[in-house]
Amino acid sequence: MALQIYISGKFYDKADAKISVYDHGLLYGDGVFEGMRSYSGTIFRLKEHLERLYESARAICLTIPISIEVMEKAVYETLQKNSLIDAYIRLVITRGAGSLGLDPNKTSDPQVIIIADSISLYPEEFYDKGLKIITASTVRSHPAALSPRVKSLNYLNNIMAKIEGLQAGCVEALMLNHKGEVAECTGDNIFIVKRGVVMTPPKDAGILEGITRNAILDLCKEHGIVAFEQTMTRHDLYVADECFLTGSAAEVIPVVTIDSRPIGSGSVGPITKKLSDAFKKLVHSK
Ligand code: PXG
């Protein structure tokens, strides 16, 4: 059976799952999204993802036409329709079809799209050997422009940074904020380890507050590893002992070089390994 896609209350075969070319989600990137994973049939931190989705929508003055409770049911229904247990789930809310012109008041019917499929972001070998990343010259958008806290359909800024990474032979790239401080990567949060202490840029560094990021901070607490938010520059990364990235799609992935400089020993560090194992255990526990 073809993959079943949920669009605003109905299921469609993947080939027939379509929305209007007048949808402002397409015309202007006017909408919000979420990416999450299910493990053995349970969606990891679904409530947190839905909260972030509804907050992102609120931030762009978009009213999601269904309640969180109905959304939660629709997400699980989409998984079940496709007999998926371990899956990647993409939730997309668009402003809906309107007239040509920015005015959101001329749109109607925001669309709710739920796709449950598989995703493999990075080849398996990167999880064992670690990623090489570079710093992109494209900075994360200014918090006074569209806040990076909003997971909007407008990801061009991050895509430009991703292109810079790909052109340099790297699958991920580091983005700084408008002050030149470390923010995050194009689709992942960043952590470093220095003298046994785990650090990640603060929420006000122009980052998306990652749900995997928060899970790692919780795991550090649980495992007696000192962890805190810390404003950092590239210098802090270059002299770190370990570095890793986190994201719903990427999970926990080690970084071994940044801008061709080896981080620590240039191989996957012990705290990264410990947290990566703890994360695997956490997502597979009910
Ligand atoms: N920063 C940015 C800019 C992101 O887009 C994260 C950090 C990590 O957040 P979570 O909550 O996932 O830990 C993201 C999330 C994709 C994809 O399809 C991207 C993300 C998540 C899932 C899929 O490339 N980015």
Side-chain angles (χ1 to χ4, degrees):
M1 197 176 76
L3 199 78
Q4 297 295 298
I5 315 277
Y6 174 102
I7 305 179
S8 302
K10 287 194 196 132
F11 284 94
Y12 299 86
D13 284 359
K14 182 176 168 179
D16 302 322
K18 293 172 182 164
I19 61 159
S20 169
V21 294
Y22 283 83
D23 194 303
H24 281 207
L26 173 71
L27 290 176
Y28 303 113
D30 188 353
V32 292
F33 78 105
E34 267 303 318
M36 50 209 182
R37 272 183 193 268
S38 73
Y39 298 92
S40 312
T42 304
I43 297 162
F44 182 66
R45 303 213 166 167
L46 175 59
K47 284 207 161 50
E48 285 88 337
H49 279 285
L50 291 182
E51 232 165 70
R52 188 171 69 187
L53 178 76
Y54 280 73
E55 278 185 8
S56 286
R58 219 175 139 182
I60 67 160
C61 307
L62 168 60
T63 306
I64 298 178
I66 56 175
S67 68
I68 287 205
E69 292 73 27
V70 172
M71 184 73 81
E72 193 172 335
K73 282 204 190 92
V75 168
Y76 270 109
E77 206 186 337
T78 308
L79 265 186
Q80 279 144 16
K81 270 256 183 226
N82 291 289
S83 307
L84 287 165
I85 295 177
D86 292 302
Y88 172 73
I89 299 137
R90 167 64 55 91
L91 256 165
V92 183
I93 318 293
T94 72
R95 184 82 67 180
S99 50
L100 298 176
L102 295 179
D103 189 351
N105 295 325
K106 294 196 175 134
T107 62
S108 56
D109 296 332
Q111 298 293 301
V112 178
I113 301 165
I114 308 172
I115 306 168
D117 205 340
S118 56
I119 188 174
S120 88
L121 205 63
Y122 305 125
E124 198 53 42
E125 61 174 284
F126 289 144
Y127 289 86
D128 301 328
K129 293 190 191 144
L131 282 181
K132 295 177 192 306
I133 64 170
I134 53 130
T135 308
S137 63
T138 308
V139 296
R140 202 67 171 89
S141 55
H142 194 293
L146 176 64
S147 171
R149 306 278 300 270
V150 175
K151 204 164 163 62
S152 85
L153 291 183
N154 221 303
Y155 252 53
L156 251 190
N157 204 50
N158 296 40
I159 290 166
M160 295 323 292
K162 177 109 181 172
I163 288 172
E164 287 186 58
L166 292 171
Q167 285 173 343
C170 300
V171 293
E172 196 33 305
L174 173 71
M175 299 183 80
L176 306 177
N177 65 20
H178 61 288
K179 292 187 274 188
E181 299 157 350
V182 172
E184 59 181 339
C185 286
T186 68
D188 301 305
N189 290 112
I190 190 162
F191 284 78
I192 58 167
V193 184
K194 182 74 174 173
R195 295 186 200 95
V197 172
V198 171
M199 287 170 273
T200 193
K203 290 187 275 293
D204 64 6
I207 64 164
L208 181 82
E209 187 183 351
I211 283 152
T212 320
R213 169 190 183 272
N214 290 346
I216 290 295
L217 290 172
D218 292 347
L219 282 174
C220 286
K221 228 180 244 168
E222 224 173 88
H223 288 257
I225 299 167
V226 178
F228 49 82
E229 297 182 330
Q230 175 70 46
T231 300
M232 37 181 117
T233 64
R234 276 198 293 176
H235 172 79
D236 299 297
L237 305 194
Y238 293 157
V239 301
D241 299 327
E242 301 180 33
C243 179
F244 61 89
L245 311 180
T246 65
S248 297
E251 302 173 299
V252 178
I253 189 156
V255 171
V256 290
T257 79
I258 303 177
D259 300 330
S260 303
R261 296 160 182 248
I263 303 305
S265 64
S267 56
V268 179
I271 293 183
T272 301
K273 180 84 178 72
K274 186 172 177 174
L275 288 169
S276 168
D277 289 345
F279 182 74
K280 276 190 200 116
K281 219 172 130 192
L282 174 68
V283 296
H284 285 107
S285 66
K286 291 269 162 173

